[in-house]
Amino acid sequence: MPADALPDSTPVSPLGVNRTITLVGLMGVGKSTVGRRLAQRLGLPFHDGDHEIEAAAGMTVSEIFATRGEGEFRAGEARVMRRLLEGPPIVLATGGGAIMNSETRALIKQHSISVWMKADLDVIAERVQRRDTRPLLRGKNTLTVLTDLAEARYPVYSQADLTVEVGWGSHGQAVDAIYRELRRYVRGGKPS
C-alpha cells in the first residue's frame, strides 16, 4: 500500500517502511539493543517481545519458565506476538523461539519485514555467558545448547525476508547493516 494511502496515525519511517520490522535470531545476537537503536533511526516505536510477555504475565521470563513451564511461556508468547504484529508498525525484537510457532511465523510474514540477525555461535556464546538470565541455558553447556538451537531454528530463520551478519561488530555497525539492507529491500533491490 502506498504511504499516502495510510491512515494519518500510521507511522512511516524515513525509508518509507510502513510495516513492522521484526528482528529474529538466537538469544544473545543483539536483537533488543540493536532493535532500540534501529527504531530510533527509523522513527518507529520499539517493542521487546520478552518484555511485553513479562508485562502481560506480571513475572519475568525465568519465573514463567520455573512456575508454568516452557509450554505456557510459548502460548503467552504467541498471544503477545499476535497483538504486536497486528498493531501499527514498530520495530519488534522477538524472543529466539517466537518464530518457531507456525501461527506467529505466518503473522510475521503477513505483517512485517523480517530480519534474521545472524552471528557466529562463538560470538553469541560469549555474549550470553555474561548474564545468567537465560532459562534454556541454566546448568548446561552454552555452546552445546546454542548449536542444538541453531540446528533446529536456522532453517526457519532462513525464511526471513533479510539476513544480516552482525558478528563481532558493534551494535551501531549492526544497525547500519540492517538499515542498508532495508533500504535495498524497500527500493525493490535484492538484499545482499
Side-chain angles (χ1 to χ4, degrees), residues 1-8 12 18:
M1 166 182 349
D4 59 0
L6 295 171
D8 290 338
V12 177
N18 57 12

Side-chain angles (χ1 to χ4, degrees), residues 115-116 118 160-165 176-186 188-192:
V115 179
W116 176 17
K118 187 176 182 184
D161 296 308
L162 303 170
T163 299
V164 179
E165 293 280 344
D176 290 344
I178 293 169
Y179 190 88
R180 279 191 306 274
E181 292 302 319
L182 283 169
R183 185 173 53 218
R184 282 189 193 102
Y185 184 83
V186 169
K190 296 285 184 197
S192 58

Side-chain angles (χ1 to χ4, degrees), residues 93-138:
T94 65
I99 198 168
M100 300 307 289
N101 176 292
S102 61
E103 290 176 24
T104 299
R105 197 164 48 249
L107 288 167
I108 288 171
K109 189 58 98 181
Q110 179 182 0
H111 296 288
S112 76
I113 299 170
S114 54
V115 179
W116 176 17
M117 291 178 59
K118 187 176 182 184
D120 186 88
L121 293 181
D122 291 327
V123 174
I124 298 171
E126 181 181 309
R127 289 178 184 167
V128 297
Q129 289 173 352
R130 295 179 195 157
R131 293 184 296 160
D132 184 27
T133 59
R134 315 264 183 190
L136 294 177
L137 298 177
R138 289 227 173 89

Side-chain angles (χ1 to χ4, degrees), residues 17-192:
V17 174
N18 57 12
R19 303 180 78 193
T20 288
I21 307 299
T22 302
L23 304 177
V24 302
L26 288 177
M27 66 176 90
V29 78
K31 297 182 299 287
S32 297
T33 304
V34 169
R36 269 186 215 88
R37 293 179 181 192
L38 181 64
Q40 285 180 325
R41 187 153 179 195
L42 293 174
L44 293 172
F46 172 75
H47 289 271
D48 181 295
D50 285 346
H51 293 162
E52 296 287 332
I53 293 162
E54 289 175 341
M59 58 180 71
T60 67
V61 170
S62 293
E63 290 168 340
I64 298 168
F65 267 77
T67 61
R68 298 183 183 171
E70 185 176 359
E72 183 56 35
F73 171 79
R74 296 295 176 200
E77 180 179 56
R79 290 188 297 271
V80 167
M81 290 296 105
R82 174 175 288 282
R83 174 177 52 83
L84 293 171
L85 288 162
E86 290 181 340
I90 59 173
V91 173
L92 173 60
T94 65
I99 198 168
M100 300 307 289
N101 176 292
S102 61
E103 290 176 24
T104 299
R105 197 164 48 249
L107 288 167
I108 288 171
K109 189 58 98 181
Q110 179 182 0
H111 296 288
S112 76
I113 299 170
S114 54
V115 179
W116 176 17
M117 291 178 59
K118 187 176 182 184
D120 186 88
L121 293 181
D122 291 327
V123 174
I124 298 171
E126 181 181 309
R127 289 178 184 167
V128 297
Q129 289 173 352
R130 295 179 195 157
R131 293 184 296 160
D132 184 27
T133 59
R134 315 264 183 190
L136 294 177
L137 298 177
R138 289 227 173 89
K140 300 174 184 159
N141 178 289
T142 301
L143 194 52
T144 300
V145 172
L146 289 171
T147 300
D148 291 345
L149 288 172
E151 186 175 302
R153 294 178 180 177
Y154 277 17
V156 176
Y157 293 161
S158 70
Q159 297 172 28
D161 296 308
L162 303 170
T163 299
V164 179
E165 293 280 344
V166 293
W168 288 103
S170 70
H171 294 306
Q173 289 169 321
V175 171
D176 290 344
I178 293 169
Y179 190 88
R180 279 191 306 274
E181 292 302 319
L182 283 169
R183 185 173 53 218
R184 282 189 193 102
Y185 184 83
V186 169
R187 291 179 179 169
K190 296 285 184 197
S192 58

